Amino acid sequence: MEELPFLKKSGEAIFQDRFVKKAAELLIPWNSSPAKSRFGLIGAPLSKPSISHSGAAFAPTTIRKMLSAYTTYSVEMDKNLNEGVIDFGDIMMHPTDIVESQARIQATIIDIIRKKTSENLLILGGDHSISFSSIQAFATFHKHIGVIQFDAHHDFRNLEDGGPTNGTPFRRLLDQGVISGDQLVQIGIRDFCNSKEYREYGEKHKVSIFTMKEIRHLSAMQIVQKAIDRLGQKVDAIYLSVDIDVLDQAFAPGCPAIGPGGMDSQTLLEAVELLAQYKHVKAIDIVEVDPTIDFRDMTSRVAAWVILSFLKGKLERHEK
Ligand code: CA
């Protein structure tokens, strides 16, 4: 057959540089991947429980795609992220039954952790309701977990008004005794996004709450130190939950609850990198990214970079 040297496969990059590896190339489908990698990634595309319009179900696909916008090379470390990430794909959601979908998230994450293929799990939401299921699954395997939540909101809404929505995950975790308040640290809680009742609910349960005002002038290192100090020596595993609305609307236009007065993206990324250096930090979720209302995939790009920051932190720890 005649050679056609200038044809490339549809969908492949327009330009390929022989010396550049794209971050998306780190992802290896789990059925063709090596038996083990320190990292596993899974999508939980559920946004029907959102109390406002949300296309966060589309985020896992877009965030993975945005990994091809970046390379694996950290100029700051002068190192390449060199370890593959097992991509378990996305959890299939029930079209109408929200509670069934949340149960599928919990069951699937339990199955994945049980496989012991990856000691660190990266979970792509979805809206914040998925974190109840994934933290419940994570807690099954550890005696005493800590949860560090980056969020503009407490997510302590009552369940009487709307059931297990994206405003309730941390309320459900506390009410159901999956974690106690002293196992939860909330960072970036903002004015005019919450109510007095929910602040008091958190205080009653001894949740560590840091408002945006309290952390605005701190470095990422100081924020991380505060969070780790609050969890103390008692935890044997830490789960990070990153609601992208912790960021100011200037940095994350593609999420349902945008607003001013939030964190800048550099602080969040550095905090994730520093936290990942702790051996107890074993899981992270990124939620509330809505690619359908984003601008140039800005918000999905931040989410992709959150993944890279986590991998970088783990690599730094490994190198030490
Ligand atoms: Ca939230």
Side-chain angles (χ1 to χ4, degrees):
M1 193 176 150
E2 197 185 344
E3 288 277 320
L4 298 169
F6 299 116
L7 281 182
K8 68 171 184 68
K9 213 168 134 194
S10 165
E12 273 183 2
I14 292 170
F15 176 71
Q16 282 186 342
D17 182 316
R18 71 190 66 189
F19 296 119
V20 169
K21 184 173 177 181
K22 292 295 177 67
E25 294 173 48
L26 294 172
L27 301 183
I28 317 158
W30 76 278
N31 43 11
S32 63
S33 63
K36 275 181 191 266
S37 155
R38 281 198 299 150
F39 307 106
L41 178 135
I42 182 147
L46 179 68
S47 53
K48 285 181 179 172
S50 291
I51 57 175
S52 52
H53 175 84
S54 176
F58 297 100
T61 302
T62 312
I63 296 169
R64 283 188 185 90
K65 203 165 132 205
M66 285 307 116
L67 284 172
S68 40
Y70 302 111
T71 74
T72 55
Y73 177 62
S74 160
V75 69
E76 293 178 6
M77 284 182 77
D78 189 22
K79 291 263 186 262
N80 276 297
L81 303 176
N82 52 7
E83 203 170 336
V85 176
I86 299 177
D87 187 348
F88 289 95
D90 292 344
I91 300 163
M92 233 189 302
M93 297 299 162
H94 192 282
T96 55
D97 189 338
I98 285 169
V99 175
E100 161 65 19
S101 294
Q102 292 171 337
R104 288 182 186 184
I105 296 170
Q106 186 193 353
T108 308
I109 292 179
I110 285 177
D111 280 349
I112 285 175
I113 299 176
R114 202 173 276 142
K115 281 182 190 296
K116 294 198 168 127
T117 50
S118 322
E119 62 190 270
N120 299 287
L121 208 52
L122 304 138
I123 301 150
L124 306 177
D127 67 29
H128 220 157
S129 76
I130 67 122
S131 301
F132 169 75
S133 309
S134 58
I135 293 170
Q136 204 179 26
F138 187 68
T140 312
F141 294 89
H142 303 280
K143 261 203 184 103
H144 200 95
I145 67 163
V147 177
I148 300 175
Q149 173 195 355
F150 292 87
D151 205 327
H153 310 87
H154 293 296
D155 290 353
F156 288 151
R157 283 183 196 273
N158 75 82
L159 277 96
E160 291 77 15
D161 287 335
T165 67
N166 62 337
T168 64
F170 298 92
R171 173 68 168 253
R172 296 178 73 203
L173 288 167
L174 295 181
D175 282 357
Q176 295 189 25
V178 178
I179 57 171
S180 57
D182 65 352
Q183 291 169 268
L184 176 61
V185 182
Q186 301 190 315
I187 295 171
I189 303 298
R190 292 223 283 283
D191 268 356
F192 314 125
C193 297
N194 296 282
S195 77
K196 184 172 165 54
E197 282 71 14
Y198 297 136
R199 164 87 189 210
E200 286 170 358
Y201 173 89
E203 283 169 354
K204 192 178 92 191
H205 285 83
K206 300 194 167 42
V207 174
S208 296
I209 297 168
F210 295 103
T211 65
M212 228 11 252
K213 185 177 182 182
E214 287 169 277
I215 60 163
R216 187 168 294 129
H217 303 295
L218 300 180
S219 67
M221 178 73 89
Q222 290 167 316
I223 295 168
V224 166
Q225 201 56 56
K226 272 181 185 288
I228 294 290
D229 287 350
R230 286 299 176 100
L231 292 174
Q233 300 301 313
K234 58 189 178 291
V235 297
D236 59 350
I238 296 174
Y239 181 107
L240 310 180
S241 186
V242 178
D243 185 328
I244 211 73
D245 73 23
V246 74
L247 295 179
D248 189 279
Q249 61 189 1
F251 300 95
C255 77
I258 55 168
M263 194 178 273
D264 65 82
S265 52
Q266 184 51 42
T267 305
L268 173 66
L269 296 168
E270 204 181 331
V272 168
E273 179 187 328
L274 292 166
L275 282 163
Q277 292 178 28
Y278 286 85
K279 72 170 191 301
H280 286 337
V281 172
K282 292 177 195 291
I284 182 169
D285 69 36
I286 307 153
V287 297
E288 298 289 338
V289 175
D290 180 352
T292 68
I293 51 170
D294 209 358
F295 176 72
R296 295 197 62 198
D297 295 314
M298 278 172 71
T299 315
S300 295
R301 283 168 194 258
V302 178
W305 205 309
V306 167
I307 296 172
L308 299 179
S309 299
F310 188 92
L311 299 178
K312 183 183 170 195
K314 287 294 178 204
L315 179 62
E316 277 171 290
R317 183 186 147 68
H318 223 48
E319 303 268 323
K320 275 178 187 166

